[in-house]
Amino acid sequence: MSANDKKDDKVFRAADSSKITRDFLDSLLIEMRHLDGVLPSTRFELFGKTFDTPIMMAAFSHLDTFKIHEDGMVEIARAAAAANAVNFAGMGSEDELERIIETGAATVKIIKSYADNERILRKIEHAESAGALAVGMDIDHSFNRRGEYDNVLGDEMRPKTTDELKMFVKATKLPFIVKGVLSVIDAVKCAEAGVQGIVVSHHHGIIDYAVPPLMILPEIVKAVGGKLKIFVDCGIDSGYDVFKALALGADAACVGRAILGPLSKGGADAARNWLESETAVLAGIMARTGSATLQDIDASLLHKKQF
C-alpha cells in the first residue's frame, strides 16, 4: 500500500458516518441518582396504543435477499409482537406486509420515494387496508452519491416537495411518518405538512460526514417537539443508547443491525430475547438515574466526555 493509499484509507475511515455516530454515542456519559428512587416503567404510548418498550424494530427490507433469514421480515414482526414493541417494515410485497401484520405486530409501513406518486398512493391505501398502525415515507433515497436520481433495486426514485408530502398525509386516515430527517429545516417542513412522526436518521451513513442523529436531535426537538413524535435510528445498539436518545428528546428509538445477529441465529425467539434483554438494561439505567418513567429521562442526566 502506497503512502497515498494510506492517506485515502484514513480519509475514508474518518468520513465513515456510522463510526462518527458510534463515537458520539459513546462520548455521552450518564450520572447516577439513587436517593428517592423507585422501580421504573418502560411503558410507551404511541398512536393510541401502549407498548412495553420504547425500543422499536427498524424499517428492514429484503432480509431474505441479504441472507439474514429466509423469512426475516415476518420473524422480526413475530419478535416485536411477542415483546409488545413497535415494528417498522420497509420495502416488500403486499403479501409480505399482510403476513407481517397478521403476526399481531403493530407495524409502521415505510414506503420509498418512488418516482410514480400513484404507486405511493396505492401502497398507502394497501397499508391502511391491511391494518398497519401507521404509514410513512423514506425520503433519503431520493438521490444517489453521484447527484442523480436514485434507483433502488430497479425502482426509480424522486425527491418529494412539501406539497406532495401534504398530499400523501391527506391520502390516509393513518398517522404519517417521515424517515430520513437530519435537519431542523426538514423537520419543520414535515410539521407544516401535517406529518405525525419523524425518524431522525442518516440511513446508516447514506452520506459521509453525516451529523450523528443524537447530535442534531436537541435542535429538532426544540423546533418541532410536541408537534409530532420524534424517533431516532442509526447505531442504536443497546438499552444504553436508547436511554441517551430519550434523554436528548426522542420519544423512542429504532434498533437495526444489532438485532440481525440474534435473528439470523435464532429467528423470532432470539430477536425477542434480545429486545427484552435490552429493555431490561434500559430499566436498570432508569432505576439508577431516578427515572420512574420514560418522561423523567432528560438531558440533565447526560454529560459530554471531555477527557
Side-chain angles (χ1 to χ4, degrees):
M1 181 181 287
S2 68
N4 285 336
D5 287 336
K6 290 179 180 178
K7 180 179 179 181
D8 291 343
D9 182 60
K10 183 177 180 181
V11 170
F12 173 77
R13 286 187 286 107
D16 185 342
S17 296
S18 295
K19 183 180 185 303
I20 293 169
T21 295
R22 183 69 259 162
D23 289 346
F24 184 80
L25 277 162
D26 291 341
S27 75
L28 300 174
L29 309 180
I30 304 168
E31 71 176 41
M32 293 194 297
R33 300 174 185 175
H34 286 116
L35 294 177
D36 301 313
V38 298
L39 291 177
S41 169
T42 61
R43 291 173 74 82
F44 166 60
E45 293 185 7
L46 180 66
F47 304 143
K49 292 183 177 292
T50 300
F51 301 92
D52 290 341
T53 178
I55 305 177
M56 310 187 297
M57 301 295 193
F60 296 114
S61 301
H62 307 297
L63 294 180
D64 54 343
T65 301
F66 296 113
K67 299 182 179 179
I68 302 298
H69 191 285
E70 61 183 7
D71 203 15
M73 296 295 295
V74 175
E75 288 291 287
I76 278 286
R78 289 195 183 105
N84 192 25
V86 177
N87 180 58
F88 277 66
M91 293 181 77
S93 67
E94 290 186 355
D95 173 71
E96 182 181 67
L97 179 61
E98 290 166 9
R99 291 192 300 119
I100 286 170
I101 293 174
E102 284 171 2
T103 66
T107 299
V108 180
K109 171 62 177 176
I110 297 295
I111 301 164
K112 291 292 185 189
S113 56
Y114 296 106
D116 181 359
N117 279 350
E118 290 302 316
R119 183 178 183 183
I120 294 172
L121 291 170
R122 288 194 299 271
K123 286 184 174 291
I124 290 173
E125 182 180 10
H126 176 258
E128 185 172 323
S129 65
L133 173 68
V135 67
M137 176 171 286
D138 176 350
I139 62 172
D140 56 17
H141 261 296
S142 301
F143 301 99
N144 63 23
R145 286 179 178 265
R146 298 181 298 277
E148 305 160 339
Y149 293 133
D150 207 354
N151 183 297
V152 180
L153 299 176
D155 291 314
E156 294 291 330
M157 303 291 147
R158 290 292 186 277
K160 301 305 175 185
T161 66
T162 306
D163 285 340
E164 286 175 305
L165 186 56
K166 290 178 182 178
M167 175 183 67
F168 299 139
V169 171
K170 292 178 180 178
T172 180
K173 297 176 182 178
L174 296 177
F176 198 94
I177 294 174
V178 173
K179 179 177 178 289
V181 174
L182 201 66
S183 67
V184 170
I185 290 173
D186 276 356
V188 169
K189 288 180 179 179
C190 285
E192 291 173 349
V195 167
Q196 289 174 269
I198 57 174
V199 182
V200 181
S201 167
H202 56 56
H203 209 120
H204 199 67
I206 202 165
I207 64 169
D208 292 338
Y209 296 107
V211 60
L214 264 62
M215 181 180 285
I216 194 76
L217 177 61
E219 296 177 41
I220 290 175
V221 171
K222 183 178 180 180
V224 301
K227 298 178 182 177
L228 41 72
K229 293 294 185 180
I230 301 175
F231 316 124
V232 296
D233 78 359
C234 300
I236 303 296
D237 290 344
S238 69
Y240 279 95
D241 292 340
V242 174
F243 181 89
K244 294 173 184 180
L246 299 180
L248 291 176
D251 292 292
C254 297
V255 171
R257 293 170 188 250
I259 207 165
L260 294 184
L263 175 69
S264 65
K265 294 177 182 178
D269 288 343
R272 174 192 181 177
N273 289 341
W274 187 96
L275 185 55
E276 291 180 342
S277 175
E278 292 306 321
T279 298
V281 168
L282 172 62
I285 307 163
M286 291 173 66
R288 288 174 169 168
T289 56
S291 305
T293 69
L294 302 181
Q295 291 69 39
D296 294 319
I297 304 171
D298 64 40
S300 70
L301 289 161
L302 300 184
H303 299 268
K304 194 76 166 59
K305 181 178 179 180
Q306 295 179 342
F307 54 87

